[in-house]
Structures are given as structure tokens and as C-alpha cells.
Amino acid sequence: MPDIIEPVIGLIGGSGLYDIDGLEEREWRQVETPWGEPSDLLLFGRLAGVRCVFLPRHGRGHPTPPSALNYRANIDAMKRAGVTEIISLSAVGSLNEALPPGHFVIVDQFIDRTFAREKSFFGCGCVAHVSMAHPVCPRLGDALEASAREVGLPVTRGGTYLVMEGPQFSTKAESELYRQWKCDVIGMTNMPEAKLAREAELCYATVAMVTDFDCWHPDHDAVTVDAVVKVLLGNADKAKALVKSVVPALGRPRGPCPAGCDRALDNALITAPEKRDVALLAKLDAVAGRVLGV
Ligand SMILES: CSC[C@H]1O[C@H](OP(=O)(O)O)[C@H](O)[C@@H]1O
Ligand SMILES: Nc1ncnc2[nH]cnc12
């Protein structure tokens, strides 16, 4: 790992965010991965001189639902594109009265209730167990919080994001259960994305943009896509202002991540070298080349 890193900021745009304003030298480029196709071409460019790579999570025009997203291809493509940190911008429902629609939450924990997705780059022939105790990079969280306050967004630092499989929204009983679990927001996409970013040794943080009160709130109608999209349009402008402020702050040359996100595989591999599968190792070149030497 170099002592001084020139950051390349990865931005994953969720529902309602299919492009990034103000990018200079912009170019949509296909990035091939051994895991299949990412959601779309990747948009390369510069913001205030800082290299950025943007990916619309569901593809432009939103053709792909949460369960069908190729999360491994998306993260691998980011890594291959040279990205060093990822900011996930996501629409969420609120499970907390204090977090109304229009509010931004820099989440710091997740509960993963998804069950129909590929969740790891590793597997038979190369087993790895990374720590997910602290799934979000605090350095990115600090920068996002400072920028959100600077541009005047209603923001809360910290919160737990419940990741459901979808695509249907929750039942009222589920929504109430997640509230009992002290979850703050709910969405369908940030897992396994955050797990895969950790395996790929990429710093990762989520800006959860509240669009609705899900279905638990007695004074609000159950969530609909129409209602979500209405709030999303306002949130998307705020998200773009946040990105404009945070990218220059994160873009300065820096040392290794103080939280160790960029060394997550140092103590994670358990398969003996002679038991490793050569074909899998080849696929891990971008994600784990640093520790596997492939
Ligand atoms: C359009 S509402 C449901 C949809 O929005 C969120 O997506 P993203 O996290 O990519 O912004 C949620 O997770 C669902 O996929
Ligand atoms: N209530 C909700 N449940 C799941 N995902 C969402 N995305 C936006 N609102 C949501």
C-alpha cells in the first residue's frame, strides 16, 4: 500500500440519482469484471479536480430491482476503476419519528435481513471472514456530516439501517418489529454492498435519504412509489449539493485509512495456500490481489 494515497471517490446513486451534475471530463465507460456485468456503464470524471467514478445502482432508467443487482460486479468494477472510497446515496423509509421525510442519516450500523443475494467474493477454494463490527468508515462519516452541516441539510449522524429483501415494502408487523429492534431506517440495497466493499478493502459510508415513514406511522399513509419519488426529487438536489461539498474535502492526498478499511483482508484469509482454487484466485485479482499476490 502506498504511503500517500490520491483518493478516487466512488459514488453509488440509488433511486432517483442516475447522474452527477458538474462532473468535468465526463465519460461513461464499460468496466469488465469476472463477476458479470455491473448495473450500468460507469461515469468517470472530475469534481473540483478530484477523480470520481459514479454508478447508478439500478442502472439509468431503473431497470434492475434490488434482488437482481449484481453487487459483486458493481463493487469489483469500482475497485478496478481505481476507486478508494465509496459513498452510497440511498432512499430509505423511516422507522423513527425523529427522522421525517427529507431528513438525511449518516448511518453507522446495518441489520442484514436479505436472503437471496450473492454476499461474498470468497467461497470454496478461498475462504475469508472479514470483520463487519463497524461496517461504515468513520473518516467518511466525519466528512459527510461536516459537509451536510455546511450545506444546511437536516442531518443525523448515526443510525441503524435495516436491509430487507423486497421488492415489496414491509408488512406493518415487520415494520413494528424493526422499530422494536431500534432500527432507524429501512431500505433494500445497502447489503451486501457494504459487506462486499469491506471485502474489497474499500472505505464505505451511506447517506440514507428519508423518503417516507414506511407503514408503521399512524398519521401517515403506507408507502407508495409515487410518494417516494415525490420526496426523492427534492432529496436528489440536496444529495447533489452534498456531493459537491464532500468530494473536495475527501479528495486531498491522505495516508492509509485510520480505521483500517483498506487493510480489511490482513487477518481474514483462512484457506491454506496449497488448498486454494486457482480459478477463484484469478477472479479475486482486483478485490484481493494485495494479499493474494495474484
Ligand atoms: C423506489 S423506493 C424502493 C427502492 O429505493 C431504495 O433504493 P436505493 O437504496 O438504491 O436508493 C430502496 O432500497 C429500494 O430499492
Ligand atoms: N419504506 C421503505 N422500505 C424499503 N425501502 C425503501 N426505500 C424507500 N422507502 C422505503
Side-chain angles (χ1 to χ4, degrees), residues 1-5 137 139 203 253-263:
M1 183 159 325
D3 289 344
I4 298 293
I5 294 151
C137 176
R139 185 180 59 83
C203 297
R254 60 168 175 83
C257 173
C261 304
D262 50 10
R263 300 176 300 285

Side-chain angles (χ1 to χ4, degrees), residues 8-253:
V8 179
I9 315 297
L11 301 159
I12 300 185
S15 300
L17 260 182
Y18 310 108
D19 204 339
I20 289 287
D21 289 349
L23 268 193
E24 289 160 1
E25 302 169 34
R26 44 185 285 137
E27 190 186 352
W28 289 92
R29 274 192 240 153
Q30 188 167 348
V31 177
E32 309 272 349
T33 91
W35 309 96
E37 288 201 6
S39 302
D40 204 332
L41 307 184
L42 274 60
L43 176 60
F44 291 73
R46 286 182 188 268
L47 257 184
V50 179
R51 285 171 64 201
C52 294
V53 181
F54 171 74
L55 177 65
R57 180 183 285 119
H58 303 270
R60 281 167 288 176
H62 208 122
T64 314
S67 307
L69 290 175
N70 190 339
Y71 294 94
R72 292 192 298 190
N74 287 353
I75 296 296
D76 180 282
M78 284 273 175
K79 182 92 184 183
R80 263 172 222 284
V83 161
T84 52
E85 33 247 272
I86 292 182
I87 296 172
S88 152
L89 298 152
S90 281
V92 293
S94 173
L95 301 167
N96 179 340
E97 183 91 56
L99 305 172
H103 205 85
F104 282 46
V105 186
I106 319 269
V107 303
D108 60 357
Q109 282 295 334
F110 296 98
I111 292 182
D112 185 2
R113 293 253 307 162
T114 65
F115 50 81
R117 303 171 185 198
E118 294 290 352
K119 296 198 183 187
S120 180
F121 291 110
F122 298 90
C124 297
C126 191
V127 179
H129 303 282
V130 294
S131 170
M132 288 303 296
H134 304 289
V136 162
C137 176
R139 185 180 59 83
L140 294 189
D142 288 346
L144 286 165
E145 181 186 10
S147 287
R149 296 200 189 286
E150 186 186 293
V151 297
L153 301 183
V155 65
T156 295
R157 177 75 185 271
T160 299
Y161 173 143
L162 185 296
V163 196
M164 61 180 295
E165 186 62 48
Q168 302 83 0
F169 293 117
S170 309
T171 66
K172 191 155 178 276
E174 288 165 340
S175 200
E176 282 165 355
L177 176 67
Y178 304 149
R179 274 167 54 73
Q180 282 174 28
W181 289 355
K182 306 272 183 241
C183 297
D184 297 289
V185 295
I186 182 165
M188 304 179 190
T189 60
N190 275 218
M191 286 293 184
E193 198 172 86
K195 288 177 174 168
L196 294 166
R198 177 60 50 83
E199 287 188 348
E201 300 193 315
L202 294 170
C203 297
Y204 182 91
T206 296
V207 180
M209 305 178 287
V210 176
T211 52
D212 55 85
F213 270 117
D214 202 39
C215 62
W216 62 272
H217 201 299
D219 303 335
H220 291 265
D221 291 336
V223 54
T224 64
V225 167
D226 276 3
V228 166
V229 168
K230 239 182 230 155
V231 182
L232 264 179
L233 295 177
N235 283 351
D237 287 342
K238 295 185 205 167
K240 287 173 183 173
L242 176 59
V243 165
K244 255 190 198 147
S245 163
V246 82
V247 164
L250 286 174
R252 290 190 275 274

